[in-house]
Amino acid sequence: MGEGEKFQLGTVGALSLSVVSSVSIVICNKALMSSLHFIFATTLTSWHLLVTFCSLHVALKMRFFEHKPFDHKAVMGFGILNGISIGLLNLSLGFNSVGFYQMTKLAIIPCTILLEILFLGKKFSKRIQFSLGILLVGVGIATVTDLQLNALGSFLSLLAVITTCIAQIMTNTIQKKFKVSSTQLLYQSCPYQAATLLISGPYLDKVLTDLNVFAFKYTTQVTAVIVLSCLISISVNFSTFLVIGKTSPVTYQVLGHLKTCFVLAFGYIIVRDPFSWRNILGILVAMVGMLLYSYYCTLESQQKTAEATAQASQAREGESDPLINVESGGGTLLNKRPPVWNKEKD
């Protein structure tokens, strides 16, 4: 199996792991919050990150991956920014209607593209932009219902979008710049993310719910579901870094909208959530956008590979060509036959 095939297989595996684990944790958390009334999302996320770090530390001791220290300031800044973006997204949901929060999530893809064009010089073809437009329209039809605006909620949403975009772009660029794997980056940044949310989580949850997470009655059932949620989060956090590292922040956001469609479908099939023709139409349009995006990305990737192969082949041919017909001033320097002496003239 060639390197390209191995990379494609690894990418498909990362995408699949991300979808399965994310949909699983959404179903688990929905049961925890709706049925068991544990509504402290930010604190729960801090526990997720803490358990993820502990599990990675055990994996490190068992030599499943190698610890690779690099720029400490970059890791700390990245970890804290990630933690802040999670907190802001939760605040955005708390201070806005669900419809406006969904619009906030839809804005992450255009914002990411804009930032990558302005600061990284990345280019997106018109057909990629077209497919993303179809995707966003579809998800918008399926998820956006009411749009109630308020100044504080809008400001928090703006901050959430910007910090999320920067954090996801950094996830990709740090892995490539410092030549670290997704596991190595997650292991080193997890403590800072967890610490940020462990400190701010109880306060944010108090603001959003008017309840104290430490005063909640933790029954055996609640504790079991929290433990299950934390175990699933290991796979979610790992696959997030893996997908962004292997693909791009934009592709990760596209995958996120695919998860949203799956969650809506599972919600209708399993727990009989209300479902309308608008939801069905939106999901179908979004799926068309995702398929087009996948097709165009694959097509452009193949074109780049073919161009790189052709250039490498031309370079090899150029290096192997004999030095013939090299002229200097009009006289040919190579392939000249040496003069033949005529003995009769001696």
Side-chain angles (χ1 to χ4, degrees):
M1 186 181 291
E3 290 296 326
E5 292 178 347
K6 288 181 180 179
F7 179 80
Q8 289 179 355
L9 187 61
T11 302
V12 171
L15 294 172
S16 303
L17 178 64
S18 180
V19 170
V20 172
S21 59
S22 295
V23 172
S24 299
I25 203 169
V26 166
I27 294 172
C28 181
N29 289 348
K30 187 170 184 179
L32 183 62
M33 295 182 181
S34 300
S35 303
L36 301 176
H37 308 295
F38 184 88
I39 53 177
F40 309 102
T42 310
T43 302
L44 180 62
T45 305
S46 70
W47 295 346
H48 287 169
L49 291 164
L50 190 60
V51 171
T52 299
F53 173 73
C54 292
S55 64
L56 287 177
H57 189 68
V58 172
L60 178 66
K61 293 298 181 183
M62 296 176 70
R63 298 184 178 179
F64 283 111
F65 70 96
E66 182 183 352
H67 181 48
K68 185 179 178 181
F70 59 98
D71 192 337
H72 179 72
K73 289 183 179 179
V75 174
M76 184 170 66
F78 168 70
I80 294 173
L81 181 65
N82 249 320
I84 291 172
S85 70
I86 294 169
L88 285 171
L89 281 171
N90 288 338
L91 283 173
S92 173
L93 178 58
F95 283 91
N96 290 300
S97 64
V98 175
F100 190 82
Y101 174 72
Q102 291 296 338
M103 285 295 293
T104 299
K105 291 174 67 177
L106 291 178
I108 292 175
I109 285 183
C111 183
T112 301
I113 290 175
L114 180 63
L115 290 175
E116 289 194 313
I117 290 173
L118 291 177
F119 297 102
L120 299 179
K122 194 171 180 179
K123 295 181 180 179
F124 295 86
S125 65
K126 288 184 178 180
R127 52 190 180 185
I128 290 289
Q129 295 177 33
F130 172 71
S131 63
L132 289 174
I134 293 177
L135 165 67
L136 295 178
V137 168
V139 176
I141 293 172
T143 61
V144 177
T145 51
D146 56 326
L147 287 176
Q148 299 175 11
L149 304 179
N150 64 82
L152 179 58
S154 300
F155 178 69
L156 290 171
S157 294
L158 177 63
L159 291 179
V161 169
I162 293 173
T163 53
T164 300
C165 292
I166 294 174
Q168 291 183 0
I169 291 171
M170 287 180 68
T171 303
N172 181 273
T173 54
I174 286 177
Q175 290 185 53
K176 292 178 178 178
K177 180 179 178 180
F178 296 103
K179 302 293 189 295
V180 292
S181 68
S182 55
T183 310
Q184 291 168 332
L185 178 58
L186 179 60
Y187 174 70
Q188 293 186 63
S189 63
C190 241
Y192 300 106
Q193 295 183 61
T196 302
L197 293 178
L198 280 169
I199 294 169
S200 62
Y203 174 74
L204 292 179
D205 288 332
K206 175 72 174 176
V207 171
L208 294 172
T209 66
D210 201 28
L211 296 172
N212 189 343
V213 66
F214 301 110
F216 186 81
K217 186 179 180 180
Y218 292 89
T219 63
T220 304
Q221 188 178 11
V222 170
T223 305
V225 178
I226 288 174
V227 170
L228 177 62
S229 178
C230 288
L231 292 175
I232 298 174
S233 73
I234 298 171
S235 177
V236 173
N237 291 324
F238 172 73
S239 62
T240 296
F241 279 58
L242 190 61
V243 168
I244 295 176
K246 282 186 171 293
T247 57
S248 70
V250 173
T251 298
Y252 175 72
Q253 284 299 321
V254 170
L255 189 68
H257 292 307
L258 174 62
K259 298 171 195 173
T260 300
C261 293
F262 279 153
V263 168
L264 287 172
F266 283 140
Y268 173 71
I269 295 169
I270 297 173
V271 296
R272 296 297 175 182
D273 281 344
F275 212 64
S276 65
W277 284 107
R278 176 177 173 172
N279 298 127
I280 297 173
L281 175 63
I283 289 175
L284 291 176
V285 172
M287 293 301 292
V288 170
M290 290 174 201
L291 291 173
L292 286 174
Y293 178 78
S294 300
Y295 173 72
Y296 290 144
C297 282
T298 303
L299 196 65
E300 292 184 6
S301 177
Q302 290 174 347
Q303 289 175 349
K304 289 179 182 178
T305 303
E307 290 173 3
T309 303
Q311 290 176 357
S313 177
Q314 290 176 358
R316 284 195 299 270
E317 288 176 2
E319 291 174 358
S320 61
D321 281 345
L323 295 175
I324 58 174
N325 297 330
V326 179
E327 296 183 357
S328 177
T332 303
L333 297 179
L334 300 179
N335 277 1
K336 279 190 174 183
R337 296 181 62 187
V340 178
W341 295 102
N342 190 341
K343 292 182 179 179
E344 295 177 358
K345 293 183 179 179
D346 289 344

